[in-house]
Amino acid sequence: QVHLVESGGGLVQAGGSLRLSCVASGHTFSALPMGWFRQTPGNEREFVAAITWSGKSTLYSDSVKGRFIISRDNAKNILYVQMNSLKSEDTAVYYCARGGSDPGVPRPMDYWGTGTLVTVSS
């Protein structure tokens, strides 16, 4: 079992920055990609960003590309996303997740955190 806990959410003014963290614990030995997703009430959870285990490759949603930066520290089992130039539409509950071993397209995620709320005021 893998446990993921997000932190760093809060209230921020539009144009500001925020960094979210996701700490993994438990069985965290697999070299798998991880990602960030977000969800607002009444909407489906959407993909935000993903990163390979090595950190060499990253993928971003068009809505956040150029503003968000995903990174990871495998030694500390922490996933990050630096969010810059925040917009009101970025307001959502953000979740981190670990990719499963099945390399599907899109790739299934097998473990999820419980989320951290980001509210961007305008």
Side-chain angles (χ1 to χ4, degrees), residues 17-100:
S17 299
L18 204 62
R19 188 175 80 160
L20 305 183
S21 299
C22 172
V23 179
S25 62
H27 189 66
T28 60
F29 306 109
S30 299
L32 296 167
M34 293 189 71
W36 288 95
F37 296 76
R38 65 188 183 186
Q39 186 173 26
T40 55
N43 295 294
E44 294 294 311
R45 187 172 299 181
E46 67 172 340
F47 170 77
V48 175
I51 186 170
T52 59
W53 182 85
S54 67
K56 293 182 179 180
S57 298
T58 57
L59 181 66
Y60 297 92
S61 166
D62 288 341
S63 64
V64 306
K65 192 171 186 178
R67 299 188 298 119
F68 290 13
I69 302 172
I70 188 171
S71 62
R72 65 191 298 169
D73 185 336
N74 291 336
K76 297 181 179 180
N77 293 319
I78 302 177
L79 174 71
Y80 303 97
V81 60
Q82 175 67 45
M83 307 185 295
N84 301 312
S85 301
L86 285 163
K87 306 174 182 179
S88 59
E89 51 262 45
D90 292 320
T91 295
V93 174
Y94 284 73
Y95 301 88
C96 67
R98 192 193 77 173

Side-chain angles (χ1 to χ4, degrees), residues 97-109:
R98 192 193 77 173
S101 59
D102 183 7
V105 182
R107 187 174 192 141
M109 311 302 283

